[in-house]
Amino acid sequence: MIEFNIPPYVGSELGYIKDAIDSGKICGDGKYTKLCNEWLENRLDPAKALLTTSCTHATEMAVILSDIKPEDEVIMPSFTFVSTADAVVMRGAKPVFVDVRPDTMNIDERLIEDAVTEKTKAIIPVHYAGVSCEMTTIMDIADRRGLKVIEDAAQAIGSTYKGKACGTIGDYGCLSFHETKNISMGEGGALLIRDRENIERAEIVREKGTNRSRFYRGEIDKYTWMDAGSSYLPSELNAAYLYAQLEAFDKIQGSRMKAWDMYYEMLTPLKADGFIELPVIPDDCEHNAHMFYIKVKDIDERTAVIGYLKEHGIYSVFHYIPLHTSPAGMRFGRFVGEDRYTTRDSERLLRLPLHYGIKDEQVLAVCDALNDYFRGRDGGRL
Ligand SMILES: *Cc1c(COP(=O)(O)O)cnc(C)c1O
């Protein structure tokens, strides 16, 4: 059987978790949280990185820090995970959806400006599959229209755009360390803060609205309630697991990249013969092998491929139901412009097994099965 995902485990996690327990401090912001924050700061180069309980919570924090209020509007793709919109809706604001580009499945930057109104406060680009959005255009629109940019970099740790780390280009970047992501702590995430002047308030929002972080640094002699906030600190146990993974970052990425490259090479003939489409990585982008997907003719073809692979012990999955067609999306959001690709391509997209430690022969077996499926029958071409 070839699993779709196996949560990453490198071997040093348990030792670090034991060390955290032995230290007598297992709540947030201890040794391992600090080590993880520093690793992210050194590697990605934001002004500050703060571990959080999830990417959803990091996005909520970014929305709070951007002063997004009820009735405000936030532009995002409809083709994304629910968290992107949830963080906005939780503040009473409105997600405004625009179409994606079919090559990267990222928000179509050329459609953003038409969706801007006097109520628009922010843009949330989602770096789908760890491939960066067209950030130069997005940052230019944001600068001209006075909007915040919150990058949903849940899938994009280690990805870059014009050499800069995804998540450090906009005002805020949100990473996920959920077990389905490249680097994991079970559940967890991080908020990346680009500008120094936003660090202090972020620390306050993350610590239930208190200035306890400054208190711990000895900068003040008592701490108090300063602002609205919540409890966004992960425990040291989770941070210890994450630190082991961050230390093994290059090894994990190497394993994923090798599988990704193999898929790409082995499936190129099926693309050349018009059976499938493969992911596109624009010139300015370096991806992080978060995902390998193919696109097939239509939803019926995809259902058949999933069934065929499953018969051969291979688990493949699809996602997302476009948010603007979901019950909550219809209630809370609005789609601007034409849905040319969001629905059509979300129904054609199929994710193949990819995880740390996937074996060459497993990738080969998936490619063989796809070859047999497409070559073995007439039709099915795009
Ligand atoms: C996984 C994911 C999230 C949510 O991450 P959590 O850490 O589970 O909250 C948000 N956005 C995108 C695009 C994701 O893939």
Side-chain angles (χ1 to χ4, degrees):
M1 194 177 78
I2 303 179
E3 307 262 21
F4 171 71
N5 180 52
I6 297 174
Y9 180 73
V10 295
S12 41
E13 290 88 343
L14 270 177
Y16 288 166
I17 291 171
K18 181 169 187 309
D19 181 47
I21 295 169
D22 291 346
S23 78
K25 183 173 164 67
I26 57 170
C27 68
D29 272 347
K31 169 177 152 186
Y32 285 101
T33 306
K34 290 200 180 88
L35 284 170
C36 292
N37 291 345
E38 280 165 20
W39 190 97
L40 293 169
E41 285 159 13
N42 290 335
R43 187 84 183 211
L44 308 179
D45 204 28
K48 184 77 195 161
L50 295 171
L51 281 199
T52 59
T53 31
S54 66
C55 177
T56 309
H57 280 168
T59 313
E60 268 180 46
M61 283 183 65
V63 168
I64 293 169
L65 293 164
S66 301
D67 288 317
I68 290 165
K69 303 215 162 51
E71 308 305 322
D72 286 347
E73 295 180 352
V74 178
I75 297 170
M76 64 182 71
S78 168
F79 183 73
T80 181
F81 189 55
V82 291
S83 303
T84 323
D86 260 329
V88 167
V89 167
M90 289 286 278
R91 309 303 300 169
K94 195 180 198 65
V96 173
F97 302 116
V98 305
D99 208 6
V100 287
R101 300 164 40 147
D103 58 348
T104 57
M105 299 303 280
N106 283 334
I107 190 166
D108 188 333
E109 67 281 357
R110 294 162 306 177
L111 303 177
I112 291 174
E113 199 136 22
D114 279 346
V116 175
T117 71
E118 72 279 6
K119 290 182 175 168
T120 308
K121 287 286 153 59
I123 306 167
I124 310 188
V126 179
H127 305 304
Y128 182 70
V131 179
S132 180
C133 297
E134 189 44 57
M135 291 307 290
T136 302
T137 307
I138 292 173
M139 295 310 294
D140 175 58
I141 295 168
D143 285 346
R144 280 188 289 103
R145 310 296 290 244
L147 309 176
K148 298 280 185 201
V149 175
I150 301 168
E151 297 178 66
D152 182 335
Q155 303 179 1
I157 187 170
S159 303
T160 60
Y161 175 77
K162 296 185 179 169
K164 269 182 92 72
C166 285
T168 67
I169 302 163
D171 297 80
Y172 300 100
C174 307
L175 302 178
S176 174
F177 302 117
H178 185 261
E179 71 163 38
T180 52
K181 302 304 197 294
N182 292 27
I183 307 293
S184 181
M185 59 198 281
E187 299 273 359
L191 179 69
L192 307 178
I193 303 163
R194 187 191 59 200
D195 301 326
R196 291 222 151 263
E197 62 266 27
N198 294 326
I199 298 173
E200 188 177 334
R201 183 157 172 238
E203 288 180 336
I204 288 171
V205 168
R206 177 168 168 271
E207 267 278 20
K208 299 115 187 149
T210 73
N211 52 2
R212 188 153 69 175
S213 297
R214 290 194 65 195
F215 175 70
Y216 278 139
R217 287 196 295 264
E219 293 167 14
I220 45 176
D221 54 15
K222 58 179 185 303
Y223 77 85
T224 187
W225 188 27
M226 301 292 290
D227 201 343
S230 192
S231 185
Y232 294 123
L233 276 70
S235 113
E236 275 288 286
L237 302 179
N238 299 67
Y241 190 103
L242 180 66
Y243 189 60
Q245 302 247 317
L246 291 174
E247 279 191 322
F249 182 81
D250 293 324
K251 189 169 143 197
I252 293 174
Q253 291 300 97
S255 160
R256 298 187 74 104
M257 200 58 85
K258 182 161 176 251
W260 198 102
D261 288 342
M262 250 177 101
Y263 272 131
Y264 196 91
E265 194 185 319
M266 305 272 309
L267 295 176
T268 292
L270 281 181
K271 178 189 174 211
D273 291 338
F275 289 108
I276 61 172
E277 284 170 35
L278 293 177
V280 172
I281 314 293
D283 282 347
D284 290 330
C285 304
E286 266 177 45
H287 73 103
N288 65 349
H290 173 62
M291 189 191 298
F292 198 93
Y293 65 82
I294 60 172
K295 286 185 193 165
V296 300
K297 194 175 78 186
D298 55 25
I299 193 164
D300 293 335
E301 187 76 35
R302 181 176 71 183
T303 306
V305 176
I306 292 172
Y308 184 88
L309 292 176
K310 196 160 170 217
E311 277 167 30
H312 292 77
I314 297 164
Y315 289 85
S316 59
V317 305
F318 63 84
H319 69 175
Y320 304 118
I321 310 296
L323 294 184
H324 73 286
T325 66
S326 68
M330 288 193 267
R331 184 141 48 104
F332 296 121
R334 179 176 84 233
F335 194 98
V336 172
E338 190 191 341
D339 171 9
R340 286 181 68 193
Y341 299 111
T342 299
T343 298
R344 193 194 80 160
D345 279 34
S346 72
E347 292 181 342
R348 306 198 296 130
L349 187 144
L350 180 66
R351 299 177 60 183
L352 303 179
L354 179 60
H355 53 80
Y356 170 62
I358 192 169
K359 296 186 182 74
D360 290 358
E361 55 266 34
Q362 293 179 311
V363 175
L364 289 178
V366 176
C367 296
D368 283 347
L370 286 170
N371 254 304
D372 292 345
Y373 174 87
F374 285 104
R375 306 268 182 214
R377 37 205 291 291
D378 278 341
R381 280 188 168 76
L382 297 168

